[in-house]
Amino acid sequence: MEDFERYGDYNEVDEVPRSHGPASWMMRILVGLVILLVVGVLGFRLVLFEYYPKNIKNLYFNDTLTAYYEKTGGAIGAKTQDIRFPYDDSEAGHFFSDHLVVIDGADQLQLSLRLNVATIDVVEEKYGLDGLSREDLGYFSYRLVDNEGRVLGTGGAVAAERVAMYRYVKLVFDGVDAFDRADGAVKSKWIRLEIFVKGADSEEPFAMLPIYENNETYNVFTDYKLSRKEHP
């Protein structure tokens, strides 16, 4: 009988005293603040990753588009397309593109471009340059090339913005004779944006992004509806 009593004693679980002192509460509060900070930073980065300033994503009315807007009474027939591969490199991701708009009747293409400021460090290292501005990105130049190797249109950056670690550029190209015509002929099956660095000892672009497709694989376009503020 005594053996059973001693066995029962072994099954008793000793209660570990819990500390409820000031140090314990301070540690809990500190851990909670750190968790909130991490979640907040991650959430901010995710939101910012999809963000474009209004003047970068909205239509830009240069002389060409303004004249066409007045000619058509505002019915400019703008189209947009989701860019399936909006980056120049799936791993490095120096440049990202979005908000593609084509105005066939005006032979115009507009695009929003985003880059991380760290990309400028990569440019300097690659081309042996130094002191490139983190604000004025005028040392970048842009051109459009289609599947036939034709250089399309003229133009480039018309606006730039800065938000946190990102830099944003609005691109407008005129004279882009690449879109569908009334006879249904497709001028270009795809278009890519090539980005060059002025002063670099290289004829090759620093980055290339596929921005437009109109072929058997992908040819989905939707009407672009102008907001109340999008007018000359």
Side-chain angles (χ1 to χ4, degrees):
M1 188 67 179
E2 292 180 357
D3 291 338
F4 283 106
E5 290 177 352
R6 286 197 296 270
Y7 179 77
D9 292 339
Y10 293 136
N11 288 334
E12 292 181 2
V13 179
D14 293 334
E15 292 186 1
V16 178
R18 298 182 180 181
S19 174
H20 296 283
S24 175
W25 283 110
M26 288 297 295
M27 181 61 68
R28 293 181 184 182
I29 292 174
L30 181 59
V31 171
L33 290 175
V34 170
I35 293 174
L36 288 176
L37 178 61
V38 172
V39 172
V41 169
L42 292 176
F44 176 75
R45 290 292 297 271
L46 289 174
V47 171
L48 190 59
F49 189 78
E50 299 293 334
Y51 173 77
Y52 282 81
K54 287 185 178 180
N55 66 321
I56 299 298
K57 66 181 181 180
N58 287 354
L59 277 182
Y60 181 88
F61 283 85
N62 63 357
D63 292 342
T64 299
L65 188 56
T66 296
Y68 188 66
Y69 183 93
E70 294 174 350
K71 177 182 177 181
T72 60
I76 62 176
K79 301 285 186 180
T80 186
Q81 181 184 62
D82 288 334
I83 302 175
R84 292 197 295 162
F85 307 103
Y87 42 76
D88 61 315
D89 186 289
S90 60
E91 294 183 1
H94 298 307
F95 288 89
F96 286 80
S97 59
D98 203 347
H99 305 290
L100 169 72
V101 180
V102 295
I103 303 97
D104 185 11
D107 288 343
Q108 187 176 98
L109 181 149
Q110 298 198 13
L111 182 73
S112 300
L113 197 65
R114 185 187 75 233
L115 67 149
N116 192 303
V117 69
T119 296
I120 302 173
D121 298 329
V122 177
V123 171
E124 290 181 331
E125 182 178 355
K126 180 174 182 178
Y127 297 114
L129 302 175
D130 188 32
L132 294 179
S133 173
R134 270 57 179 168
E135 307 303 325
D136 181 4
L137 305 181
Y139 44 83
F140 287 120
S141 63
Y142 314 89
R143 76 178 183 185
L144 302 178
V145 178
D146 74 354
N147 55 289
E148 298 293 336
R150 297 174 296 187
V151 177
L152 308 172
T154 59
V158 297
E161 286 286 348
R162 169 186 177 178
V163 179
M165 76 289 292
Y166 291 119
R167 304 296 182 266
Y168 302 86
V169 179
K170 179 70 175 183
L171 301 178
V172 177
F173 294 91
D174 285 322
V176 185
D177 187 16
F179 314 129
D180 287 350
R181 295 303 178 201
D183 59 4
V186 177
K187 298 293 184 179
S188 298
K189 293 182 179 180
W190 54 258
I191 299 173
R192 71 169 177 254
L193 173 71
E194 296 184 343
I195 303 172
F196 295 84
V197 179
K198 299 176 184 178
D201 187 18
S202 175
E203 297 182 357
E204 297 295 322
F206 171 75
M208 296 184 292
L209 296 87
I211 61 168
Y212 168 96
E213 295 180 80
N214 197 348
N215 48 59
E216 294 181 358
T217 303
Y218 189 68
N219 53 19
V220 178
F221 290 87
T222 57
D223 292 334
Y224 179 85
K225 296 182 180 180
L226 278 68
S227 68
R228 295 181 179 179
K229 295 183 178 180
E230 289 180 297
H231 59 77

